[in-house]
Amino acid sequence: MPSVDVHAHLGVPAVDELIADEPGLARQRAADAAALGPESAACNVEQIRSLAVKLTDVDVRIAAMDHAGVDVQAVSPVPLPHAWAQRALAERITALTNEAVAECCSRRPDRLVGIGAVALQHPDLAVEQLRSGVRELGLRGVQISTSAAPGAELDDPSLAEFWAAAEELGAAVLIHPWGCTLGERLNAYYLFNTVGNPVETALALSRLAFSGLLERHPGLRIWSAHGGGYLGSYLVRADHAWKVRGDARTTEAPPSELLRRTFVDSLVYTPQQLRHLVDAMGAGQVTLGSDFPFDMGVEDPVHRLLAADLDVTTTEAIRGGNATRLLGSLPQG
């Protein structure tokens, strides 16, 4: 079974240049800086500079994959959201992003498959971008953030057509957080990421489950980063609320059953935590993930999978079999 890393990122310099002087980007950077705090903000700036080559150079990427024992990688853009962008700009940002992902993967189609972007703040445009990305560029799906826009969660009725289109196309939808809406309460110790990212993912998945969206669209292929955030560690609390409260009894199936229809990655760091994740989500729903090339990722996802000492069937499913169910047929590396 080829080893398939579902969680890896690509830098798109053309987008960086396009939006460099946009007021919306300045506002987002200011909000991120306040939430990060000065020490973490400075560390992030330095990290992005140091990772530029790994984020853009295909040969460097392939060498890192070889070193990690990864045969195939799903490449998605750096998950910085652009929900502030008005329609015309959002259309251009997404077009440049998806073209860059497709071009990167075209250079090594035996090793790379593409995950694109959509502008969820403009739902009708997002549907067009999803369809064109899959049908015209050959992308396997798209990466979205944990909300569509300020005040618009992923279960917002305005996104109904987007979710229907994703199900119809069999396109994977990768949910990847960027920081957290808790803001300046996280402004020290890199809590912006270590606490914020898992909280945001748990919130997004909870809304998808309790809203009934996963029941209405049983064919959706939804994946979330970092082991699905904190939710996998405490699914029983959601189930308890579903059992005892009328306001939480919104679906036929309990939340845990619905969430086990989604996929997560294996990026939970330790063998013990990976075994717990498999127990919580099911062996068929966990995929390999490295978060290449960021410092909160790992350089040895295959080694960490093997260290969990799972049974052979489960190990092979996580190594690559589950990724095929998520993304469709894959190159053999």
Side-chain angles (χ1 to χ4, degrees), residues 10 12 25 31 47 82 93 104 127 130 148 150 153 156 187 193 198 201 208 229 264 273:
L10 174 73
V12 185
L25 178 62
Q47 182 191 183
H82 306 106
I93 290 171
C104 170
V127 173
L130 174 64
E153 302 293 343
D156 193 284
N187 68 357
N193 183 299
T201 305
L208 294 183
V264 298
Q273 194 67 16

Side-chain angles (χ1 to χ4, degrees), residues 31-273:
D32 287 349
L36 278 160
E39 292 184 5
S40 293
C43 188
N44 272 12
V45 169
E46 182 57 34
Q47 182 191 183
I48 289 295
R49 287 175 181 160
S50 69
L51 294 179
V53 173
K54 290 183 178 180
L55 282 167
T56 56
D57 190 298
V58 173
D59 293 334
V60 170
R61 180 180 300 271
I62 296 298
M65 290 168 59
D66 290 342
H67 180 74
V70 169
D71 300 304
V72 178
Q73 189 181 82
V75 179
S76 55
V78 173
L80 178 67
H82 306 106
W84 47 266
Q86 296 300 311
R87 188 181 183 92
L89 180 60
E91 189 169 10
R92 186 65 180 142
I93 290 171
T94 301
L96 287 173
T97 299
N98 291 349
E99 289 163 7
V101 171
E103 193 279 331
C104 170
C105 295
S106 72
R107 294 184 59 189
R108 289 301 303 265
D110 58 324
R111 305 291 299 273
L112 305 174
V113 296
I115 304 294
V118 291
L120 277 189
Q121 71 270 34
H122 306 292
D124 62 319
L125 180 58
V127 173
E128 295 175 12
Q129 293 165 336
L130 174 64
R131 292 188 187 280
S132 65
V134 171
R135 291 174 174 171
E136 297 171 21
L137 296 177
L139 303 179
R140 302 306 181 92
V142 294
Q143 177 181 265
I144 64 173
S145 194
T146 50
S147 66
E153 302 293 343
L154 296 185
D155 61 331
D156 193 284
S158 67
L159 298 177
E161 188 178 350
F162 168 79
W163 292 115
E167 183 179 37
E168 173 198 345
L169 292 165
V173 179
L174 277 59
I175 299 174
H176 195 300
W178 177 269
C180 183
T181 49
L182 287 171
E184 294 183 27
R185 293 188 65 199
L186 302 173
N187 68 357
Y189 323 118
Y190 204 35
L191 299 180
F192 174 90
N193 183 299
T194 58
V195 172
N197 277 8
V199 166
E200 282 290 310
T201 305
L203 174 57
L205 290 174
S206 295
R207 295 196 71 108
L208 294 183
F210 279 104
S211 68
L213 188 142
L214 298 176
E215 283 189 330
R216 293 192 298 275
H217 299 288
L220 276 174
R221 301 179 183 183
I222 293 177
W223 172 99
S224 54
H226 318 126
Y230 287 134
L231 199 59
S233 297
Y234 210 7
L235 275 173
V236 290
R237 187 170 178 86
D239 279 358
H240 183 80
W242 179 86
K243 290 175 183 176
V244 302
R245 293 184 59 94
D247 56 337
R249 187 67 174 261
T250 53
T251 56
E252 291 294 323
S256 60
E257 180 181 324
L258 296 173
L259 289 163
R260 289 187 187 110
R261 300 177 187 177
T262 71
F263 295 83
V264 298
D265 74 2
S266 61
L267 186 55
V268 291
Y269 304 109
T270 68
Q272 179 185 18
Q273 194 67 16

